[in-house]
Amino acid sequence: MDLLEEIMPFYTKAMRTAIVAEDVVTKKWYHVFSVIELLPEEFLPYKIPDQTWYKYRTIRPKLEGKWDIYKLNLVVEEMADVGKAIEYFKNPLQQGKAVDITDHFINGKFSMEPAGASPLVLPSNIYTTEGVGAILPKRDSGLLVWTQIDTDRVVQQKFQQTTGKEKEIISKLTSEWLGFDLFTFPEHIGNMYLSLPNPYFRKLNFTHQSNPEGIIYNLLLRQGIKNELLSIHITDWHGDEIAFDGTFDINEKIGFLNLPHKPGMIETRVYNKSKHLIAMLPKAAFIHRINFGVSIGHSKLKINREGENPVIIQKYSTEQTVKVGDAEQLNETYYFKTGEKSRQFQRHQRRNEFHFFAAGQTEVDKVETKTKARKIVKEIINQAKDSCYLVDPYFMVNDLIEYAYQIKNISVTLRILNCKGKDFVNKEEAQKLYDAIEEYNKKPYQKIECKMLMGSTLHDRFIITDTNAYFLGTSFAEIGKRAGCIGKIPNSSDLQVVDQVEKWFWKESVTLMEYINSKEL
């Protein structure tokens, strides 16, 4: 028996929450996003947005003027029964009529994830702001989740590219009623989710006990659940190492789990009698020590500025921290972690993720630092496999020789973005750069393209290698001369930088020759 079939009797109702788009011409309703939640008896009656829901069943925001292509609606409705709701989720393109759902689908297929009988097992998502848990109903017990994914991203592309009001309305509906902005999580647009709160218990609490050493658990069972046989699997982490790993069978609401030593970071998984994973708790430590920081407010500083509102700044002093508990109780757990942290900077350097250059005190030091900095920049740009952007408002012909020519892989597309103007790259320098690029492009290597932005557009310097973005604290020409940094921009943020650089290059810049032939100074 698979898990869903085994636990289905624990649920008495299925509720569907969906964003649907009504075509203003055909009047057909199209699926944008939905969650089907199976609920145990204690969740009823289900809390709906307001009393008008019983009459209209949907929320449609007020809109000034006419809708463009779609009228957007938020729907919350009870489905026919739990079994039919599951069948609809498993085959939404075919089973809609069986549960009185008339939605059409912009996408022609879904891919189920996970593909098998086991669900995604999520911990409590009460405070979750990231991942799948952020867009699902908030449940302290944790969730069992299956997904139907619009893998072709047809729906996402349709609504992200719209120039009408649809995107704004979807954001408004989900933010006001569901607690998240769907366009902050665009990977979920077009998808369906089957979400089940833990069928056996509402919450699992732990308390540390010493003498004997172990953990007292308190299982808050759901209504109607008696002494269900469950297994708690405990993994005790001390730093990055496992100090204990064991499983305890339990059939009481409250009990004691004996441990061989004082726990560090506890990771917990819960299995039912059929050995299906039905809950997990993320790593958590028992509090042995608390620091209280006390701040004492002082007088306010008022700054008057002519023609502007005054600025008021509250001044305060930090008093000595009050410590409760034994500091030594945490030291052994983090002993190895402390050593690892001390080596983290070296790891960043080896991966070219972060470098700091102190200002040289002597001429020899300055030359050595500059040589090292330039070597690192060349290493970074030679990591590119497909494309490379060099972005610097002062990028000139010497930088071309020092960096652009140094890319060894001739399959890499190289693009340079600088700024035009007498205070940046003037026409004389632009002509030198143009001539050098033209001469290089006659050779059997990759072609170099260079475009120019308005002078005041850029300040920081960037290197883009494929989808990786790096920032430079100073210009390519000056790197290493004075104290500065080279750093890799964290994942996800780097995509924003890449998108902006590509927008500048393709839509907001001019070629070198266009600038040279223009009437600008």
Side-chain angles (χ1 to χ4, degrees), residues 187-382:
E187 67 274 19
H188 300 291
I189 297 173
N191 299 350
M192 298 179 65
Y193 297 86
L194 179 64
S195 180
L196 287 65
N198 188 289
Y200 302 103
F201 58 83
R202 289 176 284 128
K203 197 170 185 179
L204 174 59
N205 294 321
F206 286 135
T207 305
H208 173 237
Q209 175 183 297
S210 56
N211 195 26
E213 194 67 53
I215 297 171
I216 299 172
Y217 71 85
N218 183 3
L219 203 59
L220 304 179
L221 296 174
R222 294 210 180 278
Q223 292 178 10
I225 302 294
K226 301 298 182 182
N227 294 330
E228 186 79 21
L229 179 63
L230 300 174
S231 298
I232 295 180
H233 186 92
I234 298 287
T235 303
D236 178 25
W237 294 84
H238 286 212
D240 290 330
E241 314 302 330
I242 295 176
F244 172 79
D245 192 67
T247 301
F248 304 84
D249 292 332
I250 62 170
N251 57 9
E252 301 290 340
K253 291 190 291 184
I254 299 175
F256 180 74
L257 310 178
N258 186 265
L259 296 179
H261 50 246
K262 181 180 61 183
M265 294 285 286
I266 293 294
E267 187 176 41
T268 308
R269 298 181 182 185
V270 184
Y271 297 84
N272 67 3
K273 61 185 178 182
S274 301
K275 304 306 179 185
H276 289 118
L277 178 65
I278 50 98
M280 64 177 294
L281 281 66
K283 288 182 183 179
F286 296 101
I287 297 175
H288 300 293
R289 173 187 175 188
I290 303 175
N291 294 345
F292 295 94
V294 181
S295 298
I296 298 178
H298 291 274
S299 60
K300 296 178 180 179
L301 172 64
K302 184 176 181 181
I303 304 172
N304 294 309
R305 296 183 295 182
E306 187 175 347
E308 298 183 34
N309 293 329
V311 175
I312 299 174
I313 303 167
Q314 173 69 62
K315 297 291 186 177
Y316 68 91
S317 62
T318 302
E319 299 300 308
Q320 184 176 358
T321 302
V322 179
K323 301 176 182 179
V324 179
D326 182 4
E328 295 302 317
Q329 286 187 299
L330 289 180
N331 284 350
E332 65 271 19
T333 302
Y334 294 97
Y335 177 77
F336 296 112
K337 271 241 191 258
T338 303
E340 283 298 313
K341 284 184 178 180
S342 69
R343 291 185 290 273
Q344 193 167 13
F345 180 65
Q346 285 80 9
R347 286 199 295 272
H348 287 314
Q349 285 185 315
R350 286 197 303 271
R351 298 168 185 163
N352 282 330
E353 293 175 347
F354 186 82
H355 292 274
F356 171 71
F357 306 102
Q361 299 301 309
T362 67
E363 288 304 316
V364 173
D365 289 341
K366 290 177 182 178
V367 170
E368 187 176 302
T369 303
K370 187 171 182 178
T371 301
K372 180 182 177 183
R374 290 188 169 190
K375 179 176 179 290
I376 290 165
V377 171
K378 292 170 189 175
E379 287 177 359
I380 291 172
I381 62 179
N382 272 294

Side-chain angles (χ1 to χ4, degrees), residues 33-37 120 122 125 128 131-139 143-147 178 180 188 192-196:
F33 165 85
S34 64
V35 178
I36 298 170
E37 185 178 29
L120 301 173
L122 277 59
N125 66 338
T128 298
V132 177
I135 55 93
L136 296 174
K138 302 296 185 183
R139 302 300 179 210
L143 299 169
L144 307 176
V145 180
W146 285 266
T147 68
L178 304 183
F180 65 91
H188 300 291
M192 298 179 65
Y193 297 86
L194 179 64
S195 180
L196 287 65

Side-chain angles (χ1 to χ4, degrees), residues 81-92 94-95 98-99:
D81 62 49
V82 169
K84 288 183 178 180
I86 293 172
E87 289 305 311
Y88 170 70
F89 171 79
K90 288 182 176 180
N91 194 358
Q94 302 297 327
Q95 295 291 330
V99 287

